[in-house]
Amino acid sequence: MRTIDWRDGRIVAIDQTRLPHHVEFLEIDTVEELIAAIRSLAIRGAPAIGVAGALGVALAARLHPDDPAALHAATDAIRAARPTAVNLAWGVDRVRARLDADGAEAALAEALTVLEEDARCCRELSERGARWLVETVGPKVAVQTHCNAGALATVEWGTALGVVRSLQQHGALGHVYASETRPLLQGARLTVWELAQIGAAHTLVVDSAAASVLAQGLVDAVVVGADRITANGDVINKVGTYPLALAAARAGVPMVVAAPESTVDLATPSGRDVTIEVRAAEEITALGAAALAPQGTETLNYAFDITPADLVTAIVTERRVILPGAGGRPDDPIDRS
Ligand code: MRU
């Protein structure tokens, strides 16, 4: 089962707002539906929205075959649906370039390549991450993770949870601690659901207990995904990642980021240069229909935070392991042969 796919001329994606109690699929036929799905987090996670952007350009090209202005406006709107994960703009730009050069059929082929590459890259980076962890911390690795960087955040395998799955396949997985991830509970709703599906032993903790899990020595590594990794090695990920990195440093536990190269943004020098999405007040002043805070309470609902490079032990991609905490940088020259 793929989180997102192209079937019969439309985008098909699991509706993540309905999980864990309902497994339902959206059939997306218009650009407006796609943008709404990305904004509502029905489709979410950096690699998955990168694929959504790529498929969205192919969809727009079908909808506007003879209207270049409408097509351009549609792809611009998809690109702007969420600001922080670089994958969305990357997916749109890659397919738009192919569309401009070779037309709509070539654009669809390119979008399908983006989709297949995500499936392959996630498996490769997961294997590399699992190998690095076993070599670095030992033969059984207990993991703490945050948000959802699993199959649901990608086409089918995951990044941080992909590493967990690879560890499991090699008999090297200890216990997994997942933080609930306020306010939209991607950890409690999605990560816990995925861990149960794969039969990994796991425990849910509230976000504010995450530092105590580390301080108590319950885990050997923190493994998270990323929405953007800047040229200097700063990592932008779900809000709550930065405090986790601070606590991991204090506890002497490696802070590992698992992400595809499509999340590495060499054009952006540092985390300070990234737009951090701020979401609606209602996400934290209410829980479903129940009000939590007094009406009119002012909020600052950051969706992401910036973990400075020096707190990141390792960034693992399908191509390499970067060690920002030891001075390594994503923009160091790499062997691209
Ligand atoms: O707001 P979300 O749920 O899209 O945020 C997702 C995250 O922060 C993930 O950790 C990140 O995209 C990596 S997913 C492989």
Side-chain angles (χ1 to χ4, degrees):
M1 182 184 85
R2 286 187 154 180
T3 299
I4 182 163
D5 212 343
W6 177 265
R7 226 175 286 146
D8 303 327
R10 58 164 69 103
I11 298 169
V12 179
I14 192 163
D15 182 350
Q16 300 192 41
T17 63
R18 302 285 289 151
L19 287 168
H21 303 300
H22 304 276
V23 180
E24 292 173 7
F25 284 82
L26 299 168
E27 295 190 340
I28 296 171
D29 293 303
T30 68
V31 166
E32 292 72 25
E33 287 168 352
L34 179 64
I35 291 170
I38 293 171
R39 290 214 174 115
S40 69
L41 274 53
I43 303 171
R44 54 150 294 282
I49 64 172
V51 171
L55 294 175
V57 175
L59 179 69
R62 292 195 157 200
L63 295 170
H64 304 290
D66 304 314
D67 190 346
L71 175 53
H72 210 262
T75 57
D76 277 352
I78 297 168
R79 197 179 190 279
R82 290 187 82 188
T84 303
V86 70
N87 305 61
L88 177 58
W90 170 87
V92 168
D93 291 349
R94 181 165 155 180
V95 177
R96 200 150 68 173
R98 191 72 198 281
L99 176 68
D100 292 345
D102 300 314
E105 282 316 303
L108 176 58
E110 187 72 20
L112 295 175
T113 301
V114 168
L115 187 131
E116 295 303 332
E117 278 180 9
D118 180 76
R120 178 177 54 76
C121 291
C122 283
R123 279 190 163 76
E124 288 176 8
L125 73 89
S126 297
E127 274 298 299
R128 189 184 301 280
R131 206 164 48 237
W132 187 88
L133 281 167
V134 167
E135 282 166 7
T136 308
V137 308
K140 211 57 159 191
V141 187
V143 171
Q144 185 163 6
T145 193
H146 184 60
C147 193
N148 173 268
L152 292 166
T154 65
V155 169
E156 63 179 16
W157 185 255
T159 59
L161 285 193
V163 172
V164 164
R165 293 171 79 167
S166 289
L167 285 169
Q168 187 188 35
Q169 285 185 340
H170 295 297
L173 181 64
H175 206 82
V176 182
Y177 288 84
S179 37
E180 59 176 351
T181 317
R182 286 276 300 152
L184 296 178
L185 303 173
Q186 290 94 329
R189 293 189 303 107
L190 309 177
T191 295
V192 164
W193 182 75
E194 284 198 42
L195 289 169
Q197 298 265 321
I198 64 171
H202 61 277
T203 297
L204 176 67
V205 296
V206 297
D207 295 353
S208 41
S212 301
V213 169
L214 282 155
Q216 296 289 333
L218 297 177
V219 294
D220 304 301
V222 175
V223 187
V224 295
D227 290 86
R228 192 183 293 243
I229 296 165
T230 55
N232 68 337
D234 288 351
V235 171
I236 293 83
N237 190 48
K238 179 54 57 188
V239 67
T241 302
Y242 174 39
L244 205 50
L246 288 168
R250 172 73 188 217
V253 167
M255 178 77 191
V256 179
V257 176
E261 291 284 341
S262 56
T263 302
V264 179
D265 175 15
L266 297 184
T268 300
S270 81
R272 278 194 305 277
D273 306 302
V274 176
T275 302
I276 301 295
E277 181 181 4
V278 175
R279 293 185 60 88
E282 296 69 43
E283 290 182 354
I284 49 178
T285 57
L287 196 58
L292 295 174
Q295 214 179 3
T297 299
E298 188 180 313
T299 64
L300 181 53
N301 185 13
Y302 286 132
F304 302 98
D305 63 22
I306 304 159
T307 300
D310 63 287
L311 290 177
V312 179
T313 311
I315 297 168
V316 184
T317 78
E318 69 275 19
R319 297 291 310 277
R320 52 189 170 150
V321 178
I322 307 156
L323 304 175
R329 291 174 58 105
D331 59 1
D332 286 342
I334 59 168
D335 175 12
R336 294 191 185 274
S337 59

